[in-house]
Amino acid sequence: MDRRKWLLRLIWVRVVVFTIVCIAAQPNLDMLVILGAVWALSFCWLGLLKFDDDYVWQAYAQIAVDLLLITWTVNRTGGIDSYFSSLYFLEIVMSSILLERRGAFLAAMASSIIVFGHMEGGYFYPGLIPSKTGTWPELPVLQYIISLNIFGFCSVAFLSNFLAESWRRAGVELERSTGQVAFLQAFSDRIVDSLGSGLVTTDLEGSIYLF
């Protein structure tokens, strides 16, 4: 897998997604600050890609920072009422592509811890997270919502890792098959080139169909 190419794609996906989020959330000072941070970090990631070839730690660093940016965005767009909590799922999918099984489940675990701490903190410390409705659900309902989120994170990590592994396995098999076909083609050409006379293939009626 070309991890550098996927890191580059992640940078552009991040910029596009957060720009759309900023526009959809009716731009205010908080969202503009978040968008500015995303653009500034994106230039830093591009510079690291150019000068550092250790792409594994860069992938971990980008995903960790993304989770914080997503939490910041959710915080400023209503917390439990925010539509942008689904960005956690996108980050888990990218983790499964960049960092395989371990990265996917680490991202799911980190997302679960962040969502749990963020939402519980908003319940016990009113004002920590601005709510669009001005009210928070009862604690059992909130814990149920948090549990659903955690279950969703783990499910997405499992499914996205399964699909990514299948995709990688198919790629390896395709490369192996392509190599075998190239070898057989070269072997066949070598045999034909080494013959001192011509080689003609005919059917039962004597018609030539391969020369």
Side-chain angles (χ1 to χ4, degrees):
M1 181 188 67
D2 190 348
R3 189 173 275 112
R4 184 181 187 279
K5 183 184 296 184
W6 278 103
L7 281 171
L8 187 61
R9 290 173 181 171
L10 176 58
I11 291 172
W12 292 116
V13 167
R14 180 186 303 112
V15 169
V16 171
V17 168
F18 274 93
T19 301
I20 294 173
V21 166
C22 181
I23 295 172
Q26 299 178 346
N28 51 43
L29 181 59
D30 289 332
M31 296 306 300
L32 291 176
V33 170
I34 294 173
L35 186 60
V38 168
W39 278 87
L41 286 168
S42 297
F43 282 114
C44 293
W45 299 134
L46 286 171
L48 282 173
L49 278 178
K50 185 175 182 180
F51 297 110
D52 190 349
D53 58 358
D54 187 355
Y55 303 131
V56 174
W57 82 263
Q58 289 188 49
Y60 277 110
Q62 288 196 37
I63 289 166
V65 173
D66 282 351
L67 291 176
L68 295 178
L69 288 171
I70 292 169
T71 304
W72 187 7
T73 303
V74 171
N75 181 282
R76 306 318 299 171
T77 55
I80 197 170
D81 305 316
S82 177
Y83 295 108
F84 303 118
S85 298
S86 57
L87 293 177
Y88 287 110
F89 296 103
L90 177 61
E91 201 63 35
I92 293 170
V93 172
M94 291 303 300
S95 301
S96 68
I97 296 173
L98 284 168
L99 298 169
E100 303 177 358
R101 179 182 302 174
R102 181 180 181 183
F105 283 99
L106 281 176
M109 183 177 66
S111 300
S112 301
I113 293 172
I114 289 172
V115 168
F116 175 80
H118 191 216
M119 297 304 172
E120 289 283 340
Y123 179 85
F124 289 106
Y125 300 96
L128 178 65
I129 305 175
S131 175
K132 291 181 179 179
T133 60
T135 60
W136 277 75
E138 295 296 327
L139 185 59
V141 177
L142 179 63
Q143 291 175 337
Y144 175 72
I145 294 172
I146 293 172
S147 299
L148 284 181
N149 276 288
I150 293 174
F151 175 76
F153 295 153
C154 295
S155 300
V156 169
F158 177 79
L159 292 174
S160 61
N161 176 73
F162 175 77
L163 293 174
E165 287 291 338
S166 300
W167 172 66
R168 278 189 286 267
R169 194 178 304 113
V172 170
E173 292 176 355
L174 179 61
E175 290 181 1
R176 185 183 300 115
S177 300
T178 302
Q180 290 175 350
V181 170
F183 171 77
L184 292 175
Q185 182 65 43
F187 183 70
S188 175
D189 292 341
R190 181 65 62 86
I191 292 176
V192 173
D193 292 341
S194 65
L195 292 176
S197 57
L199 180 66
V200 177
T201 304
T202 66
D203 56 19
L204 294 176
E205 297 177 356
S207 301
I208 298 175
Y209 65 87
L210 181 62
F211 177 77

